[in-house]
Amino acid sequence: MAGMQFGIFSVGDVTPDPLTGVAPSEVERIRAMVTIAKKAEEVGLDVFATGEHHNPPFVPSSPTTLLGYIAGQTERLILSTSTTLITTNDPVKIAEDFSMLQHLAGGRVDLMLGRGNTGPVYPWFGQDIRDAIPLTVEHYGLLRRLWREKVVDWSGKYRTPLQGFTLAPQPLDGVPPFVWHGSIRTPEVAEIAAYYGDGFFANHIFWPPSHTRRMVQLYRERFEHYGHGSGDQAIVGLGGHVFMRPNSQDAVAEFRPYFDNAPVYGHGPSLEEFAAQTPLTVGSPQQVIDRTLGFRNYAGDYQRQFFLLDHAGLPLKTVLEQLDLLGEQVIPVLRKEFQVGRSQHVPDAPTHESLVRTKTAGRNPQKSRPADRGNSHDQVDSHQWRIAPAFLDSIVG
Amino acid sequence: MIELRPLGHAIIDAMLTGLANAELEFAFETVANADGLIAVTPAFNVSYSGLFKSFFDVLPQETLYDMPVLIAATGGTERHSLVLEHALRPMFSYLHAIVAPTGVYAATNDFGAHGGSVGLAERISKAANDFARLLRACGNRTRRDAFTEDLTEMQRLLTAASKPSEDATVED
């Protein structure tokens, strides 16, 4: 799995098929997500990520339960999230859940953090959306410590203090899961990702390339500013959004009713307008390949490409056919082509194995990261890197 | 000059999806880079037109901050002229624009066949002179950038969060 990772991210929406008016039941949708994840492994994809939602019409309220179940039925697939809500979840519970999942999945776990933009959800978990930004900073600061320090004393504004807390189970091999920070539109996310030297995932699919270019560029600049390496060594992921048939006209005709009625962008711009303004590609596998390879022109060499396939009421059968096309015709070409001209010092996508390797390969303490400078006892985090393998050391923490 | 009618579809699409197409984005940029704005709407049902309001609903936040604005409206009769004071002025005040004290309202009488437009021309001249004075007084405008402002706040929070704590207990 050297170089880039390719995967799918699912919102987990229960949407009626516009052709039949029939929506799957919750159990059908949940089981479909499992089937889709297993299919993703079968066709050679690297990652499956699920959203987290706490209100209808969405089903995945408990991502690590879903991912743990999928982990038990897969061998190779990395299980991730898109996104895990850092605001409304207790950081202690996030640390526990993902630590546990790491052990069960043999390390095939990472996660993407997000704020959550649904105001009413916050009070269901004792929080307030007006505090979303400081809440994110405080919760994530604690989460990092829980995964990196054996005994944690902590106090903050948004949860009760911790006195002599030890996480159980400890992260697998002493290596926390890699963290991505996912952003749809806000630059703060790029800043926090850069500050900690974490991955930055641009949702990408609802925005023109100019917006994504600006966000990724900002992240790379700030990553370098905070001393994690050069900008082109920052860890970038992008969303993508495709519908394919061997014949592109067939793809457009089949996808149009789903596009026109989709919950997010339906009843708005036409499919053609949306496809021109955003990364949405509806057409042949070759068109998807060409479009996706073009992302590099404005994002630079990057590490992870996700595709959104199961949404808007598309039948499971259709989604599985999309996965076949993706796995057979698109991903093998993308894997090869993205390597062409890729600079040697651009890191591969981080995996548990790579993080463990870097951790055990020895450390070269040079200077601590700004985030952890305040903590003179923290030997684990005090590393700096200039070349790709050493770069990952700091993430290992 | 930005005509809203050709942007009608784009404005509604932006409202539904949050995505502004290139033409609408260009209009946003034009407004954002202006030193002042003259905003004109027909009076519909005791207020500005829905299209006029929709444009400002999708215009990125902070765009009109500190911007001198001259408000103007047209209507079937001068009995609706207070639409300027009761609808346009509060909205632009809310958006933190600097609204010129003198607005322009033009009714059917002003366009009538009996030379009524002389009054309108005078009112336009007076409003224009007032607006020019306001623009000069306000001087060069610094464009606010929500993108950068959000970032500054995040940097402050992150730095504050990583201040050395007195009682850090860490074991590896």
Side-chain angles (χ1 to χ4, degrees):
Chain A
M1 210 184 292
M4 279 182 69
Q5 291 170 344
F6 297 90
I8 49 175
F9 60 148
S10 178
V11 183
D13 58 315
V14 179
T15 304
D17 183 331
L19 299 186
T20 64
V22 178
S25 68
E26 287 182 324
V27 66
E28 283 168 346
R29 184 68 176 101
I30 291 166
R31 293 202 175 276
M33 289 178 82
V34 174
T35 306
I36 288 163
K38 287 161 71 177
K39 180 77 173 181
E41 173 165 292
E42 184 193 314
V43 302
L45 268 62
D46 306 311
V47 193
F48 172 83
T50 176
E52 176 186 332
H53 298 277
H54 298 276
N55 49 324
F58 305 100
V59 289
S61 57
S62 178
T64 54
T65 311
L66 175 66
L67 297 178
Y69 185 78
I70 294 168
Q73 301 179 58
T74 50
E75 299 290 330
R76 213 179 41 75
L77 194 65
I78 294 174
L79 293 325
S80 188
T81 55
S82 55
T83 60
T84 292
L85 304 175
I86 186 65
T87 46
T88 47
N89 284 303
D90 180 5
V92 174
K93 195 71 174 98
I94 296 178
E96 291 176 343
D97 283 347
F98 282 87
S99 212
M100 187 79 182
L101 183 60
Q102 269 193 318
H103 287 268
L104 290 171
R108 292 183 285 128
V109 175
D110 56 45
L111 68 160
M112 191 200 302
L113 298 178
R115 282 214 300 270
N117 295 320
T118 313
V121 173
Y122 282 70
W124 299 339
F125 297 94
Q127 302 295 353
D128 183 335
I129 195 170
R130 290 169 295 184
D131 298 327
I133 301 279
L135 195 52
T136 299
V137 173
E138 180 172 306
H139 274 183
Y140 185 54
L142 173 57
L143 179 62
R144 288 181 62 85
R145 290 189 56 197
L146 294 168
W147 274 335
R148 287 167 173 78
E149 302 171 21
K150 282 266 165 55
V151 181
V152 175
D153 292 334
W154 179 91
S155 67
K157 191 172 165 195
Y158 298 106
R159 93 180 292 293
T160 48
L162 296 174
Q163 190 65 46
F165 178 84
T166 296
L167 177 70
Q170 287 285 295
L172 181 67
D173 303 318
V175 173
F178 185 77
V179 172
W180 297 83
H181 299 264
S183 169
I184 292 182
R185 62 178 302 167
T186 49
E188 290 106 325
V189 177
E191 181 70 17
I192 194 169
Y195 185 79
Y196 285 109
D198 294 336
F200 174 68
F201 183 90
N203 166 285
H204 196 200
I205 63 178
F206 299 121
W207 291 89
S210 57
H211 176 79
T212 301
R213 177 203 298 270
R214 189 177 185 195
M215 297 280 275
V216 172
Q217 195 177 344
L218 169 73
Y219 163 64
R220 292 188 185 281
E221 283 168 15
R222 301 299 293 172
F223 182 93
E224 186 163 324
H225 168 83
Y226 286 120
H228 300 299
S230 61
D232 60 358
Q233 292 176 315
I235 305 292
V236 173
L238 297 179
H241 188 190
V242 298
F243 189 87
M244 288 167 286
R245 289 299 178 196
N247 179 334
S248 62
Q249 288 89 335
D250 294 342
V252 172
E254 185 177 345
F255 190 60
R256 189 181 302 281
Y258 295 92
F259 178 89
D260 286 347
N261 293 286
V264 180
Y265 42 69
H267 313 287
S270 69
L271 192 161
E272 285 75 9
E273 287 168 328
F274 200 78
Q277 293 159 27
T278 75
L280 170 66
T281 308
V282 181
S284 67
Q286 188 57 48
Q287 286 174 300
V288 169
I289 290 167
D290 294 342
R291 193 87 187 273
T292 308
L293 287 172
F295 297 168
R296 178 158 67 161
N297 297 338
Y298 52 86
D301 285 323
Y302 61 109
Q303 280 72 24
R304 174 174 279 186
Q305 176 65 52
F306 276 170
F307 293 99
L308 176 66
L309 295 181
D310 68 321
H311 66 119
L314 285 164
L316 176 60
K317 179 169 170 291
T318 307
V319 175
L320 298 178
E321 288 163 2
Q322 293 298 305
L323 277 162
D324 276 328
L325 288 166
L326 202 59
E328 285 165 18
Q329 298 187 33
V330 175
I331 303 299
V333 181
L334 291 181
R335 274 194 210 286
K336 193 160 139 273
E337 292 298 323
F338 270 123
Q339 286 308 311
V340 175
R342 193 178 172 98
S343 165
Q344 280 292 328
H345 79 163
V346 171
D348 287 345
T351 61
H352 181 74
E353 291 70 31
S354 74
L355 300 176
V356 170
R357 260 199 316 278
T358 322
K359 183 184 170 85
T360 50
R363 300 159 181 153
N364 305 304
Q366 291 172 17
K367 114 180 189 258
S368 66
R369 278 172 296 153
D372 302 308
R373 252 173 227 155
N375 199 332
S376 59
H377 302 287
D378 191 346
Q379 295 302 310
V380 183
D381 269 336
S382 328
H383 307 295
Q384 168 68 332
W385 60 88
R386 280 295 163 198
I387 53 168
F391 151 69
L392 294 169
D393 189 75
S394 195
I395 293 157
V396 174
Chain B
M1 174 143 78
I2 300 168
E3 284 277 2
L4 292 187
R5 185 193 165 106
L7 295 171
H9 280 279
I11 288 169
I12 296 303
D13 288 349
M15 189 171 288
L16 295 176
T17 66
L19 181 72
N21 73 11
E23 289 76 29
L24 186 56
E25 199 67 55
F26 181 77
F28 291 166
E29 282 299 301
T30 306
V31 173
N33 290 322
D35 289 319
L37 179 72
I38 300 171
V40 189
T41 176
F44 283 0
N45 292 328
V46 211
S47 189
Y48 26 63
S49 82
L51 181 57
F52 181 87
K53 175 65 159 52
S54 297
F55 176 77
F56 293 102
D57 285 348
V58 296
L59 184 70
Q61 279 179 33
E62 312 272 350
T63 302
L64 294 183
Y65 199 97
D66 270 353
M67 184 180 288
V69 173
L70 169 60
I71 50 177
T74 58
T77 139
E78 40 284 272
R79 284 197 292 273
H80 296 303
S81 63
L82 282 172
V83 70
L84 291 176
E85 305 307 322
H86 288 272
L88 275 82
R89 188 177 299 282
M91 183 184 81
F92 286 107
S93 293
Y94 171 77
L95 296 171
H96 296 285
I98 303 167
V99 190
T102 315
V104 179
Y105 184 84
T108 306
N109 266 352
D110 292 308
F111 307 111
H114 305 294
S117 63
V118 175
L120 176 61
E122 278 171 9
R123 296 204 304 282
I124 290 174
S125 287
K126 179 175 184 329
N129 281 330
D130 286 357
F131 190 55
R133 213 151 55 87
L134 177 65
L135 277 173
R136 273 196 301 272
C138 288
N140 285 337
R141 180 171 171 273
T142 313
R143 183 176 166 178
R144 294 259 304 229
D145 185 357
F147 193 89
T148 313
E149 284 172 18
D150 288 351
L151 214 55
T152 311
E153 172 63 6
M154 191 57 159
Q155 285 157 11
R156 191 189 62 72
L157 279 170
L158 284 166
T159 313
S162 64
K163 286 256 168 64
S165 65
E166 296 295 317
D167 57 352
T169 307
V170 183
E171 295 169 36
D172 184 18

